[in-house]
Amino acid sequence: MAEYSSVEALIESEVASAGRSVHLECSRDTVRRARAAVEVVQGNRRGAYFLESDGGFDRDTVESYLRFFGRISGSGRKDVAAALAHFGLENCARTLVSKLTAERKALLGFARMSLFEPEICFCERPLLELGPEARSWVLSWIADRTDAGTVFVTAGQPLREALLMPGVAFWEEEGRIFSADLDSDAGAADGVGESAETDLLGDDEVRICKIAVKAGEATLLLDPREIDFVESANRVNYASVRGELYPTALTMDELEETLARYGFFRCHRSYIVNMQKVSRVERYTRNTFNLVLSDAGHTSLPLSKGRAEEMRERFRWK
């Protein structure tokens, strides 16, 4: 598992030397340092930056704001129109920037960046304000630009969102940076019981299965049908139930084996999803897939390229 002593070392190795896109779960201070490190390695390449503090020009309309940056970048009216269309901003083109919702302001920031066709791009918490549809627009643009050769550095978002993007994902712990290619046997803190499964045999077989998780000092026994997905993050495995994450001592391999008979699928090294909760499969490029759930937050989970065909075969989705 790759490990770096600092975010500067990470960006120097992965971005400057290897030319890979990097997506990092980290503290706000590390976000700031990551941005500074990107500015150093950018050099003469065209760069674009998406920052939480960006608010646009309040007295401009959406269209006039983009035309201003279109003139700076050398883009024409067609490029501005394409940016408005791709990011769903056509119906608010004449709206003042000051009147936009947080989601639309974020989309405006991405539309602005798209006009420059950047070679290197830094994004601070890029999916924070976005709903499911807007998130899809942004992820598809990131995927397209990645295919065109753009290197992305994103920072500050949860690891789950980092894993949705093309490139390599990392997380920070006590100042050190770790690869998200986690050991599949990662477990939670001591004291959380194992799964309980009982077969009562007679004329009929009844199988009872409960997944033990921790909630404060209590141990909860979850029915698999309650679980939306299982996530492995920062060396701990969690079961997600109605938007809450509960740690479990079971390894990902143990969870995969136990939950498979209840319709769960290992969609990524770090994720096991309840397929009954999947509402759609999104494909941004040939190698980029996401699963969108029907939970309250319309959670997006990564689907590894190598597991996409396995999923189609197993569930007969052709």
Side-chain angles (χ1 to χ4, degrees):
M1 180 174 68
E3 178 182 337
Y4 293 94
S5 60
S6 67
V7 69
E8 291 83 4
L10 167 71
I11 291 174
E12 176 61 33
S13 176
E14 299 288 343
V15 177
S17 299
R20 283 193 283 263
S21 290
V22 167
H23 310 290
L24 176 63
E25 178 191 73
C26 62
S27 67
R28 287 190 177 274
D29 178 65
T30 301
V31 171
R32 178 187 58 77
R33 290 167 49 207
R35 175 189 173 185
V38 169
E39 290 173 346
V40 170
V41 304
Q42 176 184 336
N44 294 323
R45 289 182 287 182
R46 294 190 306 276
Y49 292 77
F50 177 90
L51 307 176
E52 277 193 278
S53 57
D54 286 345
F57 305 150
D58 284 351
R59 295 183 180 180
D60 271 347
T61 66
V62 167
E63 188 171 17
S64 63
Y65 176 82
L66 291 179
R67 284 184 177 177
F68 171 78
F69 284 99
R71 289 192 293 272
I72 294 175
S73 67
S75 301
R77 285 177 176 263
K78 287 185 178 180
D79 296 312
V80 170
L84 287 167
H86 179 87
F87 293 101
L89 296 170
E90 288 176 303
N91 64 351
C92 63
R94 297 185 179 181
T95 302
L96 290 175
V97 171
S98 61
K99 302 295 185 182
L100 295 178
T101 64
E103 179 181 77
R104 284 184 165 175
K105 279 190 178 182
L107 290 169
L108 182 62
F110 283 104
R112 167 183 53 79
M113 291 195 296
S114 73
L115 298 173
F116 290 84
E117 297 187 343
E119 297 171 273
I120 187 167
C121 191
F122 175 82
C123 299
E124 180 182 0
R125 305 185 75 184
L127 305 182
L128 175 65
E129 302 289 356
L130 305 182
E133 189 174 27
R135 184 170 55 202
S136 178
W137 296 333
V138 169
L139 288 172
S140 65
W141 177 74
I142 290 174
D144 289 344
R145 286 308 313 167
T146 300
D147 282 349
T150 299
V151 175
F152 282 86
V153 176
T154 67
Q157 72 272 44
L159 186 59
R160 186 185 315 132
E161 293 179 359
L163 288 166
L164 296 176
M165 301 178 197
V168 288
F170 292 83
W171 51 277
E172 178 187 31
E173 183 178 295
E174 296 181 352
R176 301 189 69 82
I177 310 295
F178 299 91
S179 168
D181 185 18
L182 298 174
D183 183 350
S184 62
D185 284 337
D190 293 337
V192 183
E194 298 179 354
S195 66
E197 184 165 357
T198 304
D199 289 334
L200 304 179
L201 301 178
D203 293 335
D204 297 304
E205 180 181 287
V206 178
R207 173 169 284 132
I208 300 171
C209 177
K210 294 288 186 178
I211 302 298
V213 299
K214 201 72 174 176
E217 296 301 316
T219 297
L220 304 182
L221 299 177
L222 300 177
D223 185 322
R225 292 171 296 182
E226 298 179 87
I227 300 171
D228 296 323
F229 61 90
V230 175
E231 174 181 46
S232 183
N234 302 2
R235 299 175 177 169
V236 180
N237 298 329
Y238 299 91
S240 177
V241 179
R242 293 182 289 277
E244 295 292 331
L245 293 175
Y246 299 95
T248 174
L250 293 167
T251 69
M252 291 295 280
D253 288 344
E254 290 169 339
L255 287 160
E256 180 182 15
E257 181 180 1
T258 300
L259 293 172
R261 64 176 66 94
Y262 300 97
F264 284 73
F265 179 72
R266 185 80 169 266
C267 61
H268 184 277
R269 183 181 180 90
S270 300
Y271 288 90
I272 302 169
V273 63
N274 183 345
M275 295 302 296
Q276 294 292 346
K277 304 295 180 75
V278 175
S279 61
R280 69 178 186 270
V281 180
E282 295 179 333
R283 181 174 184 171
Y284 300 116
T285 68
R286 184 176 59 184
N287 300 324
T288 307
F289 302 87
N290 293 331
L291 301 177
V292 180
L293 306 191
S294 57
D295 59 354
H298 299 283
T299 303
S300 291
L301 299 181
L303 172 61
S304 299
K305 176 189 174 185
R307 299 180 193 263
E309 183 60 32
E310 179 186 349
M311 185 187 72
R312 283 194 290 264
E313 290 290 338
R314 177 173 168 184
F315 296 99
R316 299 179 183 178
W317 294 347
K318 297 297 185 182

